[in-house]
Amino acid sequence: MKGLHRQSNLLSKFVRSELINQQQATEIFKACQQSKLSVLDYIANELKIDSLTIAKTLSKSYGYPLVDLKAFEFDNFPEGLRNQKLVEKHQALPVYLRAGVLHIAVSDPTNHDALEEFQFNTGYTTEFILVDRDSLQKQIESYLDNEAEALEITELDSEELSGIDVAETEHKDDESGGENDAPIVVYINKILLDSIKKGASDLHFEPFEKKFRIRFRIDGVLQEVASPPVGLASRLTARLKVMSKLDIAERRVPQDGRIKLNITKNKAIDFRVSTLPTMWGEKVVMRILDSSSAKLGIDILGYEEEQKAMYMEALAKPQGMILVTGPTGSGKTVSLYTGLNILNTEERNISTAEDPVEINLEGVNQVQINNKAGLTFAEALKSFLRQDPDIVMVGEIRDLETAEIAIKAAQTGHLVLSTLHTNSAAETLTRLLNMGVPSYNVASSVSLIIAQRLARRLCSHCKEVDQVTDEALLEIGFKPDELKDLTIYKPVGCDECTAGYKGRVGIYEVMKISEETAEIIMQGGNSLQIATQAQKEGYNNLRQSALLKAKAGVTSLAEVTRVTA
């Protein structure tokens, strides 16, 4: 009877305020009795009246001020005063406690049962705060999600993920909590497995004052995947440090480690781990090192046929230098390892100097750089040249000494592969000149430069034709004769992808060092002159290569702009 009286009271208020008429009120009353929907839900869902309009009407009718929920700091709410069952039952959320009065956000000011039950449950006097229905529901959903996640962490079955284990990472002095931390162990394993299943390249565990955030980098873009209770931050971080063989007691300086996760008997994934002290704790970033990515094969990396032919031709040469350039995360390692896999035969002696060694390659002598111990790129290269090498790979040319030794190796009958951090192929040559490498050494030793980026692939299940004007197409770089029969696609989003994209494809600028380009280098030419010569010789720059991918329906114009701006 109390519920019927409440519904009748609400409907009469809505009729008086002319939000609905009397006939509608009668129909709503009957419908709510049959469906067990509340009056507010029925009006919002069936009559399509927005929640803010409903809330303003109730505020005027009942004399309660309408409050914006965004004004409250929910993370500062006293522990133990929110009862999950009461929140779900009454769709009411306690928002702050002041002078012994517990203020409860509601969208229905007739729900006095909520006040009474919260008062009985907490022992505090209770008062209403009127808010709009949609905002309240979103905040309640967020609160319930956080509660469910906390429950998941603390009540996970420790045998749930027993099929995986961490190879050789357990410490005898494990300070992460012993048996009490079994759920933490399982939760971390679950996060790591999820990252692998979703194809993430990096994981970020980030502590803040009022939040602990976990993000995955998927297809080059970071996205939040979980937000465990901030009180668990130190325990989750401690577990990651134990797995990585790091010093748990040391929280003041950055540390680097590694995790080997055995998924099955024949499948293992390596994680490169880095910790960084921040204001609110230690941030942990993990890079997933999947050795299978180094064996993808050149045919599926995204090279155009002419570009692939030039790369294969350079790899087939007994000497010279191949340089791969681009920003961090642009796929340089995969390009280099793909080349090394092609070259890795019984007849060849291959040595690499890397910082760090990301992926283990059987049959390749890989050296981990250790600057503190004096094992620099330059020192490793000097040693390589006394080890009867055929092919040498230098993880990165960072200084003049390393550059000079690498060039010397390329000039004395060795094939050298390396990377630089530059924006284009032409800039790579001028970077070497700016380091102090003589122009004649650059012109005579470098045989091929590959500048690259990674663009997100459009999802084949949901991509749609994009209506783009001819002016916009010309402005982004298409030529007038390319506009005929040109179809451009855009991302949509579905259950098979992330925001309309699934996977990534390489965008490449591949440039051979011709006699004309060598002449420009010898004369001290700049990157603009070198780039102009490359265009004359028909080599596509990054923007032109990206437009070919858009033209083929592989990626979108938005991605073309993002990766080649």
Side-chain angles (χ1 to χ4, degrees):
M1 291 296 292
K2 188 184 291 186
L4 295 178
H5 178 72
R6 281 177 49 201
Q7 290 180 348
S8 178
N9 192 336
L10 279 171
L11 288 170
S12 65
K13 295 287 187 182
F14 287 138
V15 171
R16 288 177 192 171
S17 62
E18 299 183 348
L19 187 69
I20 59 174
N21 57 41
Q22 187 60 53
Q23 183 179 350
Q24 287 177 312
T26 304
E27 292 172 356
I28 292 170
F29 187 78
K30 291 179 181 178
C32 288
Q33 283 184 290
Q34 294 172 357
S35 63
K36 295 185 179 180
L37 278 176
S38 72
V39 167
L40 297 186
D41 286 340
Y42 190 94
I43 291 177
N45 297 332
E46 301 300 326
L47 301 187
K48 306 300 181 185
I49 299 175
D50 70 273
S51 66
L52 193 56
T53 300
I54 296 172
K56 288 178 179 178
T57 302
L58 292 172
S59 174
K60 186 176 180 180
S61 298
Y62 287 92
Y64 288 106
L66 184 60
V67 180
D68 186 354
L69 267 180
K70 295 178 182 177
F72 300 103
E73 291 283 348
F74 288 91
D75 293 327
N76 291 336
F77 193 81
E79 292 290 334
L81 293 186
R82 284 183 183 149
N83 183 300
Q84 185 176 340
K85 291 181 179 179
L86 293 184
V87 169
E88 289 184 275
K89 176 182 177 182
H90 295 293
Q91 287 297 290
L93 189 65
V95 290
Y96 73 92
L97 180 67
R98 181 179 296 166
V101 178
L102 182 62
H103 297 262
I104 299 174
V106 297
S107 58
D108 179 0
T110 66
N111 188 4
H112 294 283
D113 289 346
L115 285 182
E116 292 173 3
E117 289 202 45
F118 273 106
Q119 182 169 330
F120 178 80
N121 186 263
T122 64
Y124 287 102
T125 302
T126 52
E127 286 186 8
F128 277 145
I129 291 177
L130 185 63
V131 298
D132 77 271
R133 172 180 169 275
D134 287 355
S135 296
L136 179 61
Q137 286 186 344
K138 287 178 182 177
Q139 193 61 53
I140 288 175
E141 286 173 8
S142 176
Y143 160 71
L144 294 176
D145 286 345
N146 288 337
E147 289 296 301
E149 187 155 18
L151 189 64
E152 176 187 7
I153 294 173
T154 56
E155 294 187 359
L156 275 173
D157 182 354
S158 60
E159 296 183 359
E160 181 184 346
L161 300 176
S162 58
I164 68 171
D165 69 284
V166 181
E168 301 178 359
T169 60
E170 300 302 333
H171 281 196
K172 291 181 181 179
D173 58 340
D174 184 347
E175 299 180 25
S176 60
E179 292 182 3
N180 291 334
D181 259 12
I184 296 292
V185 172
V186 178
Y187 183 74
I188 289 293
N189 285 349
K190 181 177 182 295
I191 289 292
L192 299 186
L193 282 178
D194 284 347
S195 70
I196 295 166
K197 290 175 183 177
K198 292 180 179 180
S201 60
D202 301 86
L203 297 78
H204 292 240
F205 297 81
E206 302 168 303
F208 299 100
E209 182 181 9
K210 300 174 183 177
K211 183 177 182 179
F212 185 70
R213 180 173 67 181
I214 300 176
R215 294 190 291 173
F216 293 168
R217 187 178 295 279
I218 300 174
D219 296 335
V221 178
L222 280 170
Q223 53 186 265
E224 186 173 326
V225 295
S227 182
V230 70
L232 295 176
S234 59
R235 293 168 64 191
L236 293 169
T237 300
R239 174 57 189 167
L240 290 171
K241 291 174 73 173
V242 167
M243 296 171 73
S244 311
K245 296 184 177 179
L246 300 180
D247 184 355
I248 298 176
E250 181 56 77
R251 300 181 179 90
R252 300 164 298 175
V253 296
Q255 298 185 66
D256 294 307
R258 204 175 178 102
I259 296 173
K260 187 180 184 68
L261 195 67
N262 294 319
I263 308 301
T264 66
K265 289 183 180 180
N266 302 316
K267 176 72 171 177
I269 300 290
D270 286 334
F271 294 82
R272 190 179 77 211
V273 182
S274 172
T275 70
L276 179 69
T278 69
M279 191 173 225
W280 305 109
E282 290 179 281
K283 174 175 178 175
V284 181
V285 175
M286 306 174 70
R287 166 68 59 89
I288 298 179
L289 309 173
D290 188 353
S291 59
S292 62
S293 65
K295 302 175 183 178
L296 292 174
I298 195 169
D299 291 324
I300 63 172
L301 293 185
Y303 287 95
E304 303 297 331
E305 286 301 317
E306 298 86 352
Q307 295 174 334
K308 183 177 75 172
M310 284 190 283
Y311 190 18
M312 295 297 290
E313 181 185 340
L315 289 171
K317 291 181 178 180
Q319 66 183 54
M321 181 181 287
I322 300 172
L323 296 174
V324 181
T325 181
T328 301
S330 60
K332 299 187 299 295
T333 300
V334 173
S335 286
L336 284 177
Y337 280 17
T338 299
L340 288 178
N341 270 319
I342 293 170
L343 296 168
N344 189 14
T345 62
E346 185 180 347
E347 296 81 19
R348 295 188 176 104
N349 176 24
I350 303 175
S351 295
T352 73
E354 305 172 62
D355 184 22
V357 175
E358 294 197 355
I359 298 173
N360 295 324
L361 295 176
E362 188 174 351
V364 175
N365 305 293
Q366 295 173 275
V367 175
Q368 170 72 52
I369 295 304
N370 187 341
N371 290 310
K372 290 182 180 179
L375 183 53
T376 62
F377 280 115
E379 289 300 317
L381 270 173
K382 289 176 186 177
S383 297
F384 288 170
L385 295 180
R386 296 191 290 269
Q387 294 269 318
D388 185 31
D390 294 301
I391 296 152
V392 171
M393 195 269 273
V394 187
E396 183 182 351
I397 294 177
R398 297 176 179 173
D399 52 49
L400 176 59
E401 185 182 10
T402 305
E404 286 181 334
I405 299 171
I407 284 173
K408 179 183 176 182
Q411 291 173 333
T412 55
H414 307 94
L415 181 61
V416 179
L417 290 78
S418 189
T419 71
L420 278 88
H421 287 282
T422 58
N423 291 323
S424 67
E427 289 178 38
T428 303
L429 295 169
T430 56
R431 173 66 63 83
L432 289 172
L433 296 173
N434 291 337
M435 280 183 182
V437 180
S439 57
Y440 57 86
N441 278 342
V442 175
S444 63
S445 59
V446 179
S447 56
L448 187 78
I449 302 174
I450 301 172
Q452 67 180 75
R453 302 290 188 276
L454 290 176
R456 290 182 290 175
R457 285 182 182 270
L458 284 167
C459 174
S460 59
H461 293 89
C462 66
K463 66 180 181 181
E464 289 183 355
V465 175
D466 194 2
Q467 302 300 329
V468 187
T469 64
D470 288 350
E471 291 78 7
L473 292 172
L474 291 171
E475 184 178 348
I476 201 171
F478 283 107
K479 298 175 182 177
D481 58 349
E482 294 179 296
L483 302 185
K484 186 179 179 182
D485 299 325
L486 178 63
T487 303
I488 299 296
Y489 292 89
K490 64 181 179 180
V492 177
C494 66
D495 294 337
E496 299 289 329
C497 65
T498 302
Y501 297 98
K502 188 174 184 179
R504 290 191 285 180
V505 63
I507 306 293
Y508 303 95
E509 176 188 6
V510 182
M511 186 179 79
K512 290 170 64 175
I513 307 304
S514 64
E515 291 182 4
E516 291 77 9
T517 303
E519 184 66 27
I520 294 173
I521 296 169
M522 292 292 290
Q523 293 174 1
N526 58 37
S527 59
L528 182 59
Q529 292 171 303
I530 296 170
T532 302
Q533 179 60 34
Q535 287 287 291
K536 288 180 182 177
E537 295 175 13
Y539 301 139
N540 286 333
N541 60 31
L542 285 168
R543 172 58 65 93
Q544 291 164 338
S545 295
L547 290 176
L548 288 176
K549 294 293 189 292
K551 187 176 181 179
V554 176
T555 193
S556 66
L557 292 183
E559 278 296 283
V560 169
T561 301
R562 184 179 73 87
V563 302
T564 66

